[in-house]
Every structure is written in structure tokens, then in C-alpha cells.
Amino acid sequence: MEYETEQQKKRFYKSKEWQLLRREVLERDNYECQECKRNGRVYTDNHDPDKHKRLDIDHIKEIEDHPELALEIDNLEVLCVKCHNKKHNRFKFKKKENRWSEDERW
Ligand SMILES: [Zn+2]
């Protein structure tokens, strides 16, 4: 399996295997954001895997590059939405830089 297109990824995240594994990871990590934990904070959420919206499961090695690790529990960890966005929003910084250079024109 490959996970290069949005469609392939969507299909994966809807699969039964993923839904089951996702719960397993939430249980393993006690519904706590592992990145917050590494930074000495505790970020926990409602212990209902269907209701929580603020916790994500992150692929430590991204599935685009490592499709073979998509269902590998050791490649998964719980992140809060904030940390997850931080990890994946590398492009926001570029936008900021652009804004800076625009500012300089003033
Ligand atoms: Zn976090």
C-alpha cells in the first residue's frame, strides 16, 4: 500500500484496522499528548476515543515516506492537536517570513 495522495490517506484513516489501532495507542499513551509530556506538561483529554477531538495519533515517521510503518504501533504516538499542527505546519514559518519582507518595504 502507498499513501501518497489525499484519497489514499483518507481511505487509510477510515479503515477498521486504523480505528482499532488508534484506540490501542490512546490506551497505551493514557490519552496524553506525548510531546507535551516530553516538555513536562500533561495534556490529557476525555477518555472516550469517539468523543475526543483534541488528541491525534501521529505517525512518528510519516506514512508518505514509510508506508510499511502505517500500522506499526511503535511508529505511533498520541499528540494534542496543537503539537500535531506544530509538527506538520513547517510552512507557516515561510508565510511569516514573507510577511516580514513585506513589512520591510514600508
Ligand atoms: Zn501537546
Side-chain angles (χ1 to χ4, degrees), residues 81-96:
V81 172
K82 221 174 161 187
C83 291
H84 206 193
N85 285 343
K86 217 189 222 173
K87 182 178 169 185
H88 291 288
N89 276 7
R90 298 161 217 142
F91 303 107
K92 264 201 175 159
F93 287 104
K94 270 187 193 161
K95 260 188 203 163
K96 234 182 191 174

Side-chain angles (χ1 to χ4, degrees), residues 33-37 41 43 78-84:
C33 170
Q34 299 302 294
E35 177 64 23
C36 285
K37 211 176 182 181
R41 296 190 301 260
Y43 191 105
V78 174
L79 289 184
C80 66
V81 172
K82 221 174 161 187
C83 291
H84 206 193

Side-chain angles (χ1 to χ4, degrees), residues 27-48:
E27 292 285 335
R28 186 198 64 188
D29 290 347
N30 288 319
Y31 295 77
E32 288 170 359
C33 170
Q34 299 302 294
E35 177 64 23
C36 285
K37 211 176 182 181
R38 281 191 287 270
N39 292 314
R41 296 190 301 260
V42 178
Y43 191 105
T44 182
D45 209 346
N46 198 328
H47 279 222
D48 183 344

Side-chain angles (χ1 to χ4, degrees), residues 8-19:
Q8 284 168 329
K9 272 187 256 178
K10 246 182 223 166
R11 206 182 302 147
F12 169 71
Y13 286 117
K14 276 187 183 168
S15 72
K16 215 173 191 177
E17 289 92 333
W18 171 252
Q19 293 299 326

